[in-house]
Amino acid sequence: MAAPPQLQALLQAVNALLRKRRYHAALALIKGFRNGIVYGVKIRAPHALVMTFLFRSGSLRDKLRAILQATYTHSRNLACFVFVYKGLCALQSHTQGKTYQSHSFLAAFIGGFLLFGDNNNINSQINMYLTSRVLFALCRLGVEKGYIPELRWDPFPLYTAVVWGLVLWLFEYHRPTLQPSLQSSMTYLYEDSNVWHDLSDFLIYNKSQASK
């Protein structure tokens, strides 16, 4: 069934507007905001669903509310950050008549401070995820620029051993320093596996039904 002529005319006008280069920077902010929402939902909803039902106690209603709240917070912050970042980059380029590398850092610095500066579980997870990626990237950049000598052997096994050694040491002796979701995961793996009463909580359940 064909769309009404008025709707077709409206769609043509909108598409013509979207193709105009003069509005590209402003429209990029809108699409960036949209992509931030979609990506935030795709990333946070499955993670919150799994972690909530694995480790969170409470009623089904409480769990669903926690999942929706975490998803909303993540997607909102990410969408707003993309909007602020792209807007500040465009503003700096327009003001100075040219794009500089410092524009990206400054725009993200301000956006990160405003949108991800609140010290909560979601922002902590996001920032820790980025920290590991940034450190990897800086090491690779240092090698690429010649600031760090390129090793003749693969350092990844040694890096892996140090990371796992440190995280288990911290878990066993300085647990409060670890992020809560990591504590929960490691408790499930390394402590709960030390306790059982019969076959039911040895193979079927993590903990006996009577103890819950």
Side-chain angles (χ1 to χ4, degrees):
M1 182 177 179
Q6 298 88 343
L7 181 57
Q8 291 184 12
L10 177 61
L11 289 175
Q12 289 176 359
V14 170
N15 287 332
L17 175 67
L18 293 175
R19 286 191 288 265
K20 289 184 179 294
R21 296 297 303 174
R22 73 173 71 175
Y23 303 124
H24 184 269
L27 293 172
L29 300 183
I30 298 174
K31 184 165 185 182
F33 185 86
R34 174 263 181 201
N35 284 5
I37 292 175
V38 172
Y39 189 79
V41 171
K42 285 183 176 181
I43 292 297
R44 179 55 56 176
H47 178 271
L49 178 69
V50 171
M51 297 302 291
T52 298
F53 279 95
L54 275 180
F55 300 115
R56 190 184 181 98
S57 59
S59 66
L60 177 62
R61 189 175 190 177
D62 292 337
K63 291 179 179 179
L64 292 176
R65 184 183 294 114
I67 293 169
L68 291 175
Q69 181 61 44
T71 302
Y72 168 76
T73 302
H74 190 149
S75 60
R76 179 201 62 194
N77 287 358
L78 188 57
C80 291
F81 175 84
V82 175
F83 188 89
V84 169
Y85 171 76
K86 293 176 75 70
L88 291 176
C89 282
L91 179 62
Q92 291 177 97
S93 297
H94 177 74
T95 302
Q96 297 186 288
K98 187 179 178 181
T99 299
Y100 297 95
Q101 291 189 25
S102 60
H103 292 174
S104 178
F105 177 84
L106 183 59
F109 181 92
I110 295 173
F113 183 85
L114 294 176
L115 276 309
F116 294 106
D118 187 22
N119 190 4
N120 56 48
N121 288 339
I122 293 176
N123 288 347
S124 293
Q125 290 171 0
I126 294 172
N127 289 335
M128 284 188 288
Y129 173 90
L130 290 177
T131 298
S132 62
R133 270 63 180 177
V134 167
L135 291 176
F136 261 77
L138 288 176
C139 289
R140 288 169 178 158
L141 182 62
V143 172
E144 180 184 311
K145 298 293 185 180
Y147 303 134
I148 300 175
E150 187 170 2
L151 299 178
R152 297 181 180 179
W153 50 277
D154 184 6
F156 191 81
L158 178 59
Y159 156 79
T160 301
V162 171
V163 168
W164 280 95
L166 286 174
V167 75
L168 265 300
W169 171 70
L170 288 169
F171 174 72
E172 296 288 359
Y173 300 104
H174 304 280
R175 189 171 307 182
T177 62
L178 295 175
Q179 204 268 343
S181 65
L182 180 57
Q183 291 184 44
S184 298
S185 300
M186 299 186 78
T187 297
Y188 182 86
L189 291 170
Y190 304 111
E191 283 198 346
D192 292 354
S193 57
N194 289 333
V195 180
W196 61 87
H197 302 86
D198 52 38
L199 186 62
S200 66
D201 59 352
F202 184 76
L203 285 181
I204 302 174
Y205 303 104
N206 177 46
K207 294 182 179 180
S208 66
Q209 299 300 292
S211 66
K212 291 186 178 181

